[in-house]
Amino acid sequence: MKILIVEDEPKTGSYLKQGLTEAGFVCDLARTGPDGQHLALTEAYDLIILDVMLPGIDGWEVISRLRAAGKEVPVLFLTARDQVADRVRGLELGADDYMVKPFAFAELLARVRTLLRRGKPREADVLRVADLELDLLRRRATRGGKRIDLTAKEFALLELLMRRQGEVLSRSFIASQVWDMNFDSDTNVVEVAMRRLRAKIDDPFDRKVIHTLRGMGYVLELRDE
Ligand code: CA
């Protein structure tokens, strides 16, 4: 499996290349937008890890040009900005996933493997678990066809849980993903947000999708009850 990394920060680029190489991937590293675009158009890659802020042309432009040229290779965006607008823009342009910097390498590796396993180039715009639906582009949540109003953080939290359906997510992991907080941070904010989210998507319904595992974290899945 061959991966192209497009990242201008020397430390991050080398770290990614080394880590992915050790994990068994063949990696090329480009340090500018034009170099990344050139390699992506001329070589065959199974996945591209693409930084947004790059010298020359930025990540948005690179992915637009790749998709315009008919390249359907999966693209994992790296972004230092976790604005909702950026995520929407990336997904509209054809990104398959994104990670907010700084990230844990283990997390990146898991996403890389998922994208490669999935094998289909474009991610669905709507996440579904049973009768719960999350429309990523229109930023809308519904359950049983009923619209549910979520704050931006609740939406991000639900998106994370739905993307990781069936996986137990620790509070510190959730905090790092949704709030961009360090592992040492107070994770009470996660519990409060989770309670509000459950009040909206679970409390009015018979079948619960969010479950607490004491001392471990949370999991979103539909269980036989
Ligand atoms: Ca950069």
Side-chain angles (χ1 to χ4, degrees), residues 6-9 51-55 78 80 101:
V6 190
E7 168 62 80
D8 61 310
E9 288 167 63
D51 186 29
V52 172
M53 302 307 286
L54 289 166
L78 298 180
K101 293 198 260 189

Side-chain angles (χ1 to χ4, degrees), residues 84 88 91-92 125-126 128 133-142 147-150 155:
V84 164
V88 172
L91 291 167
E92 281 173 345
D125 295 336
V126 179
R128 284 188 188 87
E133 283 192 4
L134 200 61
D135 187 325
L136 299 174
L137 294 182
R138 292 154 80 201
R139 314 303 294 173
R140 275 176 30 170
T142 57
R147 176 82 181 266
I148 297 167
D149 287 318
L150 299 176
F155 192 96

Side-chain angles (χ1 to χ4, degrees), residues 23-220:
F25 298 102
V26 176
C27 300
D28 285 339
L29 175 60
R31 300 204 182 271
T32 69
D35 285 354
Q37 182 196 318
H38 175 74
L39 280 172
L41 288 173
T42 53
E43 304 280 325
Y45 294 101
D46 298 293
L47 179 80
I48 298 174
I49 297 175
L50 184 59
D51 186 29
V52 172
M53 302 307 286
L54 289 166
I57 52 175
D58 66 17
W60 308 127
E61 192 58 37
V62 173
I63 194 171
S64 299
R65 293 182 187 182
L66 293 183
R67 296 305 186 222
K71 284 275 180 184
E72 291 292 304
V73 55
V75 173
L76 171 65
F77 259 110
L78 298 180
T79 172
R81 303 173 295 179
D82 67 342
Q83 302 295 311
V84 164
D86 285 345
R87 296 183 185 201
V88 172
R89 186 171 176 198
L91 291 167
E92 281 173 345
L93 290 173
D96 297 278
D97 202 356
Y98 52 81
M99 292 201 67
V100 177
K101 293 198 260 189
F103 50 82
F105 183 76
E107 164 68 5
L108 175 112
L109 189 57
R111 300 265 192 114
V112 163
R113 289 191 166 130
T114 301
L115 282 173
L116 289 172
R117 222 177 11 241
R118 199 189 304 163
K120 62 173 194 204
R122 297 285 287 267
E123 153 180 63
D125 295 336
V126 179
L127 302 176
R128 284 188 188 87
V129 176
D131 60 346
L132 179 62
E133 283 192 4
L134 200 61
D135 187 325
L136 299 174
L137 294 182
R138 292 154 80 201
R139 314 303 294 173
R140 275 176 30 170
T142 57
R143 187 156 184 198
K146 196 167 157 268
R147 176 82 181 266
I148 297 167
D149 287 318
L150 299 176
T151 65
K153 284 297 177 199
E154 287 163 357
F155 192 96
L157 180 58
L158 183 57
E159 181 183 344
L160 177 68
L161 288 163
M162 290 181 76
R163 281 184 188 281
R164 302 305 195 87
Q165 180 190 352
E167 288 178 43
V168 179
L169 307 178
S170 69
R171 286 173 182 76
S172 55
F173 174 75
I174 293 170
S176 72
Q177 292 294 304
V178 177
W179 283 269
D180 215 4
M181 298 191 313
N182 295 324
F183 289 88
D184 303 332
S185 304
D186 180 10
T187 53
N188 187 46
V189 64
V190 175
E191 285 167 43
V192 171
M194 196 67 78
R195 207 175 305 137
R196 294 205 176 117
L197 179 62
R198 288 171 125 165
K200 293 179 179 180
I201 68 154
D202 262 350
D203 290 357
F205 301 90
D206 288 338
R207 299 195 77 179
K208 311 303 177 196
V209 292
I210 298 174
H211 309 276
T212 306
L213 283 90
R214 273 186 86 85
M216 293 174 73
Y218 302 94
V219 61
L220 184 145

